[in-house]
Amino acid sequence: MKVVTHSGTFHADEVFAIALLKLLFKNEIEIIRTRDDNINADLYIDVGGKFDNIQYFDHHFKEFDQYHDIEKKLPKSSFGLIWDKYAPQLIDNKNIINKVRIMFVIPIDAHDNNVRLCKYNETNYNSYTLSNVISSFNKKSEDENDQFLKALEFAEISLQNAIDYIKEQFDDEQIVKN
């Protein structure tokens, strides 16, 4: 599978979207980082200026209308779009999919869309989030693509650990209920 995402400074939304694809497709994907619209690919993530839930998973255009909530206060980013499409192929439990979405996906999408989830973030308190961790890989003194791959490796491990952790929570809840 050939996946195109934008070059330049990368963010958690496209890094985690690609990490999800790597977990699902067992690393059988080719990643091309470019802003060239003429590259032929299977998926375009966070680039291309459209969303069709088939090939294009971008949220950077005026008519974008995908949200995590009915009040339309939490827009999705490329991670949320890819999560909705591909998480059911990786996880066979809707409750676990939703819990990961709430705990892991929404905070990354919110950060990418500059939506504050915590009222304390508006003053002098600002938590260091997974999005900040991914951004910290953007080092001007390092090769951009090497840093992207390091961030992607971190994202894969973090996402797999989050899924495993939430699955274990559900298993533990079932034991207690029984």
Side-chain angles (χ1 to χ4, degrees), residues 126-137:
N126 192 358
S127 61
Y128 195 71
T129 65
L130 278 172
S131 294
N132 297 120
V133 172
I134 295 299
S135 291
S136 73
F137 284 91

Side-chain angles (χ1 to χ4, degrees), residues 40-75:
N40 190 17
D42 299 299
L43 295 176
Y44 298 86
I45 298 176
D46 214 35
V47 68
K50 60 184 169 181
F51 167 69
D52 64 8
N53 204 35
I54 299 166
Q55 188 176 25
Y56 291 90
F57 294 86
D58 194 5
H59 64 113
H60 297 290
F61 60 98
K62 188 176 181 179
E63 299 83 19
F64 184 75
D65 66 348
Q66 300 295 309
Y67 295 86
H68 286 286
D69 61 327
I70 57 173
E71 295 87 13
K72 296 187 175 185
K73 293 182 179 180
L74 290 168

Side-chain angles (χ1 to χ4, degrees), residues 8 22 33 39 51 60 62 82 87 92 113 140 159 169:
K22 287 189 78 176
R33 298 186 68 237
I39 302 292
F51 167 69
H60 297 290
K62 188 176 181 179
I82 289 291
D92 64 357
N113 286 298
K140 294 184 188 326
L159 181 56
Q169 282 185 325

Side-chain angles (χ1 to χ4, degrees), residues 82-97:
I82 289 291
W83 181 260
D84 288 350
K85 174 83 175 183
Y86 290 100
Q89 294 178 37
L90 186 65
I91 304 166
D92 64 357
N93 182 313
K94 289 181 184 181
N95 292 321
I96 293 171
I97 291 170

Side-chain angles (χ1 to χ4, degrees), residues 116 118-127:
R116 297 175 190 263
C118 179
K119 67 180 179 178
Y120 298 108
N121 275 348
E122 295 179 25
T123 60
N124 61 355
Y125 173 74
N126 192 358
S127 61

